[in-house]
Amino acid sequence: MQIASSAVPPASPYFEEARSAEVVNARMSEGADVRLREVMSVLVKHLHAAVKEIEPTHEEWFTAIRFLTETGQMCTDWRQEYILLSDILGVSMLVDAINHRRPSGATPNTILGPFYVANAPEYPNGTNICLDGKGEPMVVKGRVTDIKGNPIPNAKLEVWQTDDDGFYDVQQKGIQPDSNLRGVFTSDAEGRYWFRSVKPRHYPIPSDGPVGKLLEAMGRHPNRAAHLHFIVTAPGFDPVITHIFTPDCPYLPEDAVFGVKRELIAEFNKIDDPEAGKRVGFSSPFWTVSWDFTLATPGKPTRETP
Amino acid sequence: MQIASSAVPPASPYFEEARSAEVVNARMSEGADVRLREVMSVLVKHLHAAVKEIEPTHEEWFTAIRFLTETGQMCTDWRQEYILLSDILGVSMLVDAINHRRPSGATPNTILGPFYVANAPEYPNGTNICLDGKGEPMVVKGRVTDIKGNPIPNAKLEVWQTDDDGFYDVQQKGIQPDSNLRGVFTSDAEGRYWFRSVKPRHYPIPSDGPVGKLLEAMGRHPNRAAHLHFIVTAPGFDPVITHIFTPDCPYLPEDAVFGVKRELIAEFNKIDDPEAGKRVGFSSPFWTVSWDFTLATPGKPTRETP
C-alpha cells in the first residue's frame, strides 16, 4: 500500500547556496535542548548571512580560522583573550545592556572587567585607599538613593582602580601594596559615602595577542578611558556594576571596550586651596568628585523600545 | 571666531544598546585596510544582530567564551578544530560554493577535507588502488569532457578514499600500506579514465573535542556519508575538487559537514557475474560506477541568482 504523499514535499536535505542556513538548521534534532536550538539557529542564520555578504576568498576564510585558533591558544588561567575579543567588538557591553535594562534615572551598568576581587578590605568612610602615595589626590563623595531620591543606608560600595602607573594591584603582586586602590565602604543613615584616593588614569588592555593585532589592523588603540570601578549593592535593590569616568581623559570617546556611557562621566573639580586640603588631610591641590548612585528595584528586564 | 556647526550633529561615540554595532564600527580608522574594514563591519553588524535576537544571559555568554577558547586549544599541528566547526556549521561548504559558481551542467565542487595528499602515485588506467585487499571490489570508469561534451584528454584525476574500516592511509601510518586507496590517473585521447578500488563507506569526523560535544548537544551525529574524493584538473579548465557519493549510504541526507550535493550522488551497480568479474580481475560480486566529470572554463564567479 502506498502512503499518500503530503501536499508540500519536504525540503531537500542537500546543501544549496541559497538555502544554506536553512539546510544546516534543519539538521538539528527536535529532541535537543530548546534553548540551544534557538541559540544555534540564530547564530547559523546570521553567520551564513555574514559570509554571503562578505563573500570571503578561501584565503580570507583561512585567515579567520587562524585568528580564532590563535585567540583560543592565547588564553591561560590568567589571560582570557576571547573575553577581550568580546570586549573590543562591543559584545560584552551589549550583553550587559541586554541584561541590565533599568528605568530612566537609575545608574546604568557598564562592564565588570577582569580585575574585580571579592572580599576587599572594608573601611570606614573617609579612608584613603591609595596605599602607595602616587598620583594626584582625590576625594569622592555622594549619596546612594532610590529612584525617588530616598536615601539608602547601609549600601555596600565596592571600589577599585589602577594605580598612577595604570596597573591594578592584582597585576603587580609584590610590587604594589596588597589591596592598593581597592576597598569597600558603607553608606550612612542619610545614604552618604565618602573616601579618598587618587585621580584615575587611562591604561591599555593587553595588546600583545591576536586581539591587539586586530585592534591595530582596524586602526584602533588599546586604551581604556580613565575610570574608577564600582559595585553598589543594597538589600531589595538591583546591584549596579559600573564605572565613573573622568571628563578630561583623551580616550573618553575612544574607550577600547566601549565601556563609556554618557551618564557615567563625572565632574572632577581641581581644588587649589590649602585650607580645604587640610580639612581632608591632603596638601593642595587635590580633586573632588561628587557622585550619586541611584538604585532601581529588581524588575523583569524588558526589550529596549526601538 | 566660531566655526559654523554642520547641519547634522555627529553621532555620539558612546555605547547605546540600540546603536551598538554602529558605535563599534564607527571606531575603525579610515586609514585601515579597506577590505578589512568591510569584513569587520559586516561581522560586527551580524554579530550584534545575533546577540540582540538571542538575548543571552551572562552565563550563556560565558558558555560561548569557554566553547570558543576550548575549540582553539583543541587545535594542534594535525588537528584543526576550528575548520571542523566551520564544516559542521555549513560555513566551509558555503565558502566553497561562493568561490566555485559554475555554469549549469559542470561538475560542482564540494569540500576538500583534511586528508588530501599532493604527489600521490601516478598509475595507468585500470590500476587497483586498494592495497590492503579489504572491502567490496569496485570499478570506477567514465569520461572527462567540457561543457559541450568534447573529450578532455590528459586530464589528471587525483582520487582518495578511506579503507574499509573508515580510515585514510595518513590517519594510520604504519598500519595501512603507504598510499593505500590513493592515486593519480590520466584521461586517454577520448577523455576516458578507469581504475579499481573498493566501495567507500561512511566514517565519523573527529568527535572527541568541543565540536563533537556541540554536535551531540544539537542531536546530530559525526558521520560523513560514504564517498570517494576527486580533484580533476586539465590545462585551460577550472579545477574541480569534488566527491562521488554512494546512493545507499544511510548518512547521505545527514552528512555531518553538508558535503553532499544531489548532483554528486552516483549510481553504484552490483554485478554478480563471474565472467564479468574475470574481465576486470575481480571475483564476483563486485560494484561498478560510471561517472563523468564535466569541466568548465575559468570565469569570473558571479553572485548566485536568488
Side-chain angles (χ1 to χ4, degrees), chain B residues 9 27-28 92 113 118 121 123 137 140 153-154 156 177 186 196 237 244:
Chain B
R27 196 68 67 75
M28 276 189 289
S92 304
Y123 294 122
V140 184
N154 292 313
K156 213 166 112 179
T186 306
R196 290 176 299 159
F237 292 91
I244 297 177

Side-chain angles (χ1 to χ4, degrees), chain A residues 12-20 23-25 27-29 32-33 35-40 42-58 60-62 65-66 68-69 72-76 80 82-83 86-95 97-99 101 214 216-220 252-262 265 302-306, chain B residues 12-20 23-25 27-29 32-33 35-40 42-58 60-62 65-66 68-69 72-76 80 82-83 86-95 97-99 101 214 216-220 252-262 265 302-306:
Chain A
S12 163
Y14 302 123
F15 186 88
E16 292 166 40
E17 185 176 341
R19 294 173 58 245
S20 65
V23 168
V24 172
N25 282 331
R27 195 68 67 75
M28 275 190 288
S29 158
D33 178 75
R35 176 62 172 160
L36 180 86
R37 274 161 57 197
E38 182 178 47
V39 168
M40 289 308 301
V42 173
L43 287 176
V44 165
K45 180 180 74 178
H46 285 285
L47 182 57
H48 281 234
V51 170
K52 286 174 184 189
E53 197 169 336
I54 291 167
E55 300 208 318
T57 63
H58 186 270
E60 289 173 337
W61 167 83
F62 193 61
I65 293 286
R66 239 180 4 227
L68 294 167
T69 303
Q73 297 190 334
M74 192 76 197
C75 297
T76 63
Q80 226 312 345
Y82 263 109
I83 292 185
S86 168
D87 292 349
I88 67 132
L89 297 181
V91 172
S92 304
M93 278 300 285
L94 182 56
V95 172
I98 286 167
N99 285 284
R101 293 178 186 130
L214 176 63
E216 197 184 342
M218 291 192 293
R220 289 173 46 185
L252 206 52
E254 297 175 9
D255 185 70
V257 304
F258 304 93
V260 181
K261 288 177 173 170
R262 195 184 291 278
I265 303 169
T302 50
R303 276 184 183 274
E304 189 181 60
T305 319
Chain B
S12 162
Y14 302 124
F15 186 87
E16 291 167 40
E17 185 176 341
R19 294 174 56 247
S20 64
V23 168
V24 173
N25 282 332
R27 196 68 67 75
M28 276 189 289
S29 158
D33 178 76
R35 176 62 173 161
L36 181 86
R37 274 162 57 200
E38 182 179 45
V39 168
M40 289 309 300
V42 173
L43 286 176
V44 165
K45 180 181 75 177
H46 284 286
L47 182 58
H48 281 233
V51 170
K52 286 174 184 189
E53 198 169 335
I54 291 168
E55 299 208 320
T57 63
H58 187 269
E60 289 173 338
W61 167 82
F62 192 61
I65 294 286
R66 241 182 0 230
L68 294 168
T69 303
Q73 297 191 333
M74 192 77 199
C75 297
T76 63
Q80 227 309 344
Y82 263 109
I83 292 186
S86 168
D87 291 349
I88 68 132
L89 297 180
V91 172
S92 304
M93 277 299 286
L94 182 56
V95 172
I98 286 167
N99 286 284
R101 292 177 189 133
L214 176 63
E216 196 183 343
M218 290 193 293
R220 288 173 47 183
L252 205 54
E254 297 175 8
D255 185 70
V257 304
F258 304 94
V260 181
K261 287 178 174 170
R262 196 185 290 279
I265 304 170
T302 50
R303 278 187 182 269
E304 188 181 59
T305 318

Side-chain angles (χ1 to χ4, degrees), chain B residues 16-256:
Chain B
E16 291 167 40
E17 185 176 341
R19 294 174 56 247
S20 64
E22 189 191 322
V23 168
V24 173
N25 282 332
R27 196 68 67 75
M28 276 189 289
S29 158
E30 301 214 347
D33 178 76
V34 172
R35 176 62 173 161
L36 181 86
R37 274 162 57 200
E38 182 179 45
V39 168
M40 289 309 300
S41 67
V42 173
L43 286 176
V44 165
K45 180 181 75 177
H46 284 286
L47 182 58
H48 281 233
V51 170
K52 286 174 184 189
E53 198 169 335
I54 291 168
E55 299 208 320
T57 63
H58 187 269
E59 289 69 32
E60 289 173 338
W61 167 82
F62 192 61
T63 299
I65 294 286
R66 241 182 0 230
F67 174 80
L68 294 168
T69 303
E70 286 166 11
T71 300
Q73 297 191 333
M74 192 77 199
C75 297
T76 63
D77 286 347
W78 43 268
R79 168 85 174 252
Q80 227 309 344
E81 194 79 356
Y82 263 109
I83 292 186
L84 218 53
L85 180 61
S86 168
D87 291 349
I88 68 132
L89 297 180
V91 172
S92 304
M93 277 299 286
L94 182 56
V95 172
D96 185 83
I98 286 167
N99 286 284
H100 298 99
R101 292 177 189 133
R102 302 212 170 101
S104 167
T107 303
N109 254 41
T110 188
I111 51 179
L112 176 64
F115 301 117
Y116 170 70
V117 173
N119 302 316
E122 298 202 22
Y123 294 122
N125 277 306
T127 304
N128 191 345
I129 59 171
C130 175
L131 308 180
D132 64 9
K134 292 191 291 188
E136 301 173 49
M138 170 184 74
V139 175
V140 184
K141 61 180 179 181
R143 289 175 79 218
V144 184
T145 70
D146 67 16
I147 290 270
K148 291 176 183 156
N150 300 311
I152 302 177
N154 292 313
K156 213 166 112 179
L157 297 102
E158 302 180 78
V159 58
W160 68 105
Q161 66 176 88
T162 67
D163 74 352
D164 200 51
D165 296 325
F167 294 103
Y168 290 89
D169 56 348
V170 289
Q171 292 177 288
Q172 293 195 317
K173 291 200 182 206
I175 297 172
Q176 292 187 36
D178 280 355
S179 296
N180 192 26
L181 293 154
R182 190 182 290 279
V184 184
F185 297 90
T186 306
S187 64
D188 68 13
E190 279 80 46
R192 287 176 309 200
Y193 74 92
W194 81 282
F195 64 91
R196 290 176 299 159
S197 185
V198 288
K199 187 165 184 266
R201 41 158 292 167
H202 70 265
Y203 62 88
I205 59 171
S207 62
D208 56 338
V211 169
K213 279 185 209 130
L214 176 63
L215 273 178
E216 196 183 343
M218 290 193 293
R220 288 173 47 183
H221 60 72
N223 294 306
R224 291 226 53 205
H227 61 274
L228 291 96
H229 289 267
F230 281 93
I231 297 180
V232 184
T233 49
F237 292 91
D238 194 13
V240 173
I241 298 171
T242 196
H243 297 0
I244 297 177
F245 291 92
T246 68
D248 56 353
C249 180
Y251 298 114
L252 205 54
E254 297 175 8
D255 185 70

